[in-house]
Amino acid sequence: MKRIQLAAIPLLSATLFACGVNNDKDNTYNAQSDFTRAYQSITDATLKAHTKTLSSDEFEGRSPTSKGEKITLDYLISNFKQMGYEPGNGDSYLQAVNLLEMTASPAMTMTIGNNTFEYKKGMIASTKREKTQVNVNDSDVIFVGFGVNAPEYDWNDYAGLDVKGKTVVILVNDPGFENPDSGKFQGKTMTYYGRWTYKYEEASRQGAAAAIIVHETAPASYGWSVVANSWSGPQYSLVSENGNADRVAVEGWLSNDAAKKVFADAGLDFAQEKAKALVSPYHSNLKQKASITVNSTMKKSVSHNVIATLPGSQTPEEHIIYSAHWDHLGKDENKKGDQIYNGAHDNATGTATALAIAKAYKELTIAPKRSVTFLIVTAEEQGLLGSLYYAEHPIIALDKTVANINMDAMNVLGRTKDVSVVGMGKSELETYLAKAAKRQDRVLTQESRPEAGSYYRSDHFSFAKQGVPALYAKGGNTPIDEKTADYKKRTKLLITGCYHQVCDQFRENWDFSGVREDSQLLFEVGYDLAQSSDWPKWNAASEFQRH
């Protein structure tokens, strides 16, 4: 009898909420006007102010474990406290993330056959193993095509091949990118098999000593400078029980020009070998030896995810989780001139969006039925490590996590007629997104460059791998009017090429109206989910399913 009586309380509350009744003051409550007030509380000025602060020089590029981390955490926690959010991890707003920081000495060279390549010029290399020195000496060099072992696509570049102790050279992306009409993989849309993270993982499973990816700008979706900047300096991984002994000793990249020299010395043409690898699983012996020594300084450290919760009014055990990453690349004191990677676009804008949406929820007179939690994670730039750690050590049970909504590098190019859905077609969350877009007279469109594999490159992917439906959407490609189109053209000229560069800085003339509309859009998606009892599902064609 007690259980029946207790269960009746939330049912009664739900009825009152649905009828627009509240027992406060005049006993009237208009849910729609309450939502509208919260929706409209998200403003350009709020988003701009947070972005400007988070990307200022004071934050020193927000590198994990640095002075910049402490300043960033203090800023985020202060804001969540002022808004009235509860700590998401017991009595703490923080979740400790144990990181292994490895900094490879730039005084290294890689020798393959008769060629010696210099650090950051023709090659870049590091290690994830917990050792101050790793050596690869006179290791046989094997070209393994795309380095893919995918039974569901009937594709295995390692079939019949023993690469234990050898150096594997791997093409970037997957076989569908440059052969989109072949029916292989998902055409130009990158699968996880095209990601560099997967290629190192598979080479490790195969027992290789070293895994070297050949850089090409189009299939990688970024230039060599991004590789040189992102894979140099401190590199992080999660602390493991075996000291990452199951990883390849050396993980690296070769520039395209360097790779062509290696293939030429083997009497092979790089383009012809690549063409063979596009058609079917392929490998070939490059009949050369590779040698490299990586000396590293090693430090175990602790960074932090920030987690804050607005408890639900009826089913607080069920959560909608918004995610964004607070970190960027920090500062490079060896660099001449500007040394700070401010990360204004990536990802001060996403963090600002999280704070603006969090404030909007607190504008509601009655909290949503389900809890709404904000997870601002660390070490995204180092391979989604903060969100990966959270997904493997969830504070909120994954089977109580209804959905994840992610925010990364928001649209500073002005309002758009469309909404770009990254990884379009993956889940029923797009139904909620379409409803929210309709309010703004916008339509859903596929991301402009699905070949970049963006769905696997931000923190929602950590949730997706665990079966939690995850949405990543932001401003589309069609400007709202001619004035915006002109602004977009001018602004793109300024920010193009600034990804992971020191020029990713806040600009006073940025138009935040597109960020605001997208923030309102994602607020509505989360609000509707939080007011619902539905559990969105993955679409049948998706590679993810809830466990």
Side-chain angles (χ1 to χ4, degrees):
M1 181 62 69
K2 283 185 178 180
R3 292 181 66 185
I4 294 173
Q5 289 173 336
L6 288 170
I9 294 173
L11 288 173
L12 177 61
S13 299
T15 302
L16 291 173
F17 190 94
C19 295
V21 178
N22 183 21
N23 288 326
D24 294 338
K25 297 181 180 178
D26 60 359
N27 289 327
T28 60
Y29 171 72
N30 187 307
Q32 183 56 50
S33 64
D34 200 35
F35 164 80
T36 300
R37 185 179 65 257
Y39 185 91
Q40 293 177 346
S41 73
I42 301 173
T43 65
D44 298 30
T46 298
L47 292 158
K48 183 175 183 177
H50 284 311
T51 301
K52 183 176 183 179
T53 299
L54 287 161
S55 61
S56 65
D57 283 355
E58 178 190 358
F59 285 66
E60 296 189 350
R62 307 185 307 279
S63 178
T65 76
S66 70
K67 173 186 173 184
E69 166 163 356
K70 184 181 186 310
I71 297 171
T72 304
L73 297 183
D74 288 347
Y75 183 82
L76 294 174
I77 292 171
S78 174
N79 273 275
F80 282 122
K81 280 184 177 179
Q82 288 175 15
M83 287 186 277
Y85 273 73
E86 294 186 0
N89 187 15
D91 60 357
S92 177
Y93 289 95
L94 299 176
Q95 180 189 38
V97 179
N98 295 311
L99 297 176
L100 173 67
E101 178 185 329
M102 302 288 289
T103 304
S105 168
M108 72 169 82
T109 57
M110 177 185 294
T111 300
I112 302 178
N114 296 320
N115 290 290
T116 298
F117 303 109
E118 294 184 35
Y119 186 72
K120 294 183 77 169
K121 294 182 179 179
M123 56 76 65
I124 194 108
S126 61
T127 186
K128 290 291 192 297
R129 293 188 180 180
E130 294 183 24
K131 293 185 175 182
T132 57
Q133 185 180 90
V134 293
N135 297 283
V136 172
N137 294 313
D138 292 330
S139 169
D140 290 337
V141 182
I142 309 295
F143 173 54
V144 293
F146 289 91
V148 169
N149 179 11
E152 69 271 35
Y153 290 110
D154 192 27
W155 195 284
N156 185 3
D157 289 310
Y158 290 99
L161 186 63
D162 181 3
V163 297
K164 289 182 175 61
K166 299 175 182 177
T167 294
V168 293
V169 175
I170 312 168
L171 296 171
V172 73
N173 212 311
D174 65 40
F177 172 72
E178 291 185 59
N179 202 2
D181 299 324
S182 65
K184 294 178 171 58
F185 290 73
Q186 294 181 22
K188 289 187 76 69
T189 299
M190 184 190 287
T191 65
Y192 186 53
Y193 296 111
R195 292 288 291 139
W196 57 268
T197 47
Y198 165 79
K199 295 177 188 295
Y200 294 141
E201 290 164 2
E202 186 59 39
S204 298
R205 285 189 286 268
Q206 296 290 335
I212 312 298
I213 299 172
V214 177
H215 174 264
E216 292 183 277
T217 297
S221 82
Y222 40 76
W224 177 255
S225 63
V226 172
V227 175
N229 288 331
S230 300
W231 273 267
S232 60
Q235 300 292 297
Y236 296 88
S237 60
L238 297 178
V239 172
S240 69
E241 292 183 2
N242 67 356
N244 291 319
D246 55 348
R247 297 283 294 203
V248 293
V250 174
E251 302 177 6
W253 292 76
L254 274 178
S255 70
N256 190 239
D257 287 341
K260 288 177 180 177
K261 291 179 180 178
V262 171
F263 279 77
D265 281 1
L268 300 170
D269 180 85
F270 173 74
Q272 291 178 0
E273 290 296 286
K274 178 180 174 181
K276 293 175 184 176
L278 282 166
V279 175
S280 62
Y282 183 74
H283 56 257
S284 62
N285 191 334
L286 296 185
K287 299 178 181 178
Q288 296 176 73
K289 302 287 187 179
S291 296
I292 183 171
T293 296
V294 178
N295 292 302
S296 304
T297 56
M298 181 174 64
K299 182 174 73 173
K300 290 184 179 179
S301 58
V302 180
S303 188
H304 299 85
N305 294 331
V306 177
I307 183 166
T309 293
L310 174 64
S313 56
Q314 294 186 28
T315 52
E317 72 278 6
E318 297 176 1
H319 291 249
I320 314 300
I321 296 183
Y322 285 89
S323 61
H325 71 92
W326 60 256
D327 67 297
H328 197 56
L329 303 182
K331 60 189 296 188
D332 181 357
E333 295 182 349
N334 295 316
K335 191 176 182 68
K336 294 181 180 179
D338 188 358
Q339 298 179 332
I340 298 176
Y341 293 84
N342 299 90
H345 188 217
D346 181 18
N347 185 36
T349 57
T351 307
T353 295
L355 292 172
I357 293 176
K359 183 176 182 295
Y361 276 104
K362 290 299 293 183
E363 294 293 321
L364 296 168
T365 304
I366 299 177
K369 298 175 184 178
R370 287 167 159 165
S371 295
V372 178
T373 291
F374 288 83
L375 177 67
I376 318 299
V377 298
T378 184
E380 187 269 357
E381 303 291 6
Q382 302 294 339
L384 317 182
L385 297 182
S387 58
L388 175 62
Y389 185 87
Y390 178 87
E392 293 179 350
H393 306 85
I395 294 169
I396 298 159
L398 294 174
D399 63 1
K400 295 297 183 182
T401 303
V402 178
N404 168 244
I405 301 169
N406 190 53
M407 297 152 293
D408 195 352
M410 303 300 285
N411 170 35
V412 295
L413 298 177
R415 295 169 60 207
T416 60
K417 295 180 180 179
D418 55 336
V419 179
S420 177
V421 184
V422 181
M424 190 171 187
K426 290 194 181 295
S427 82
E428 293 175 350
L429 290 174
E430 290 168 28
T431 302
Y432 291 83
L433 185 67
K435 179 254 186 186
K438 187 176 181 180
R439 180 186 301 276
Q440 299 177 349
D441 293 322
R442 300 168 74 187
V443 296
L444 306 189
T445 56
Q446 186 182 43
E447 62 197 288
S448 60
R449 297 184 62 245
E451 63 271 21
S454 296
Y455 195 83
Y456 313 100
R457 293 173 57 185
S458 194
D459 295 298
H460 58 282
F461 180 53
S462 296
F463 285 91
K465 285 196 293 185
Q466 297 294 333
V468 176
L471 179 69
Y472 184 26
K474 50 189 173 180
N477 295 304
T478 307
I480 194 72
D481 52 33
E482 289 186 11
K483 181 179 179 181
T484 305
D486 180 62
Y487 160 79
K488 177 180 178 179
K489 184 177 180 179
R490 287 183 283 108
T491 304
K492 281 194 76 172
L493 287 174
L494 293 174
I495 67 175
T496 296
C498 287
Y499 174 64
H500 285 195
Q501 308 294 320
V502 294
C503 59
D504 182 6
Q505 298 176 327
F506 175 82
R507 290 171 169 81
E508 285 287 350
N509 67 341
W510 273 355
D511 179 358
F512 275 80
S513 62
V515 184
R516 183 241 310 151
E517 280 205 336
D518 293 346
S519 301
Q520 291 171 328
L521 185 84
L522 297 179
F523 166 67
E524 182 168 352
V525 171
Y527 176 87
D528 286 346
L529 283 167
Q531 294 290 57
S532 170
S533 59
D534 293 342
W535 287 79
K537 299 180 179 65
W538 292 103
N539 293 333
S542 169
E543 62 265 58
F544 311 107
Q545 297 298 329
R546 187 181 284 277
H547 299 309

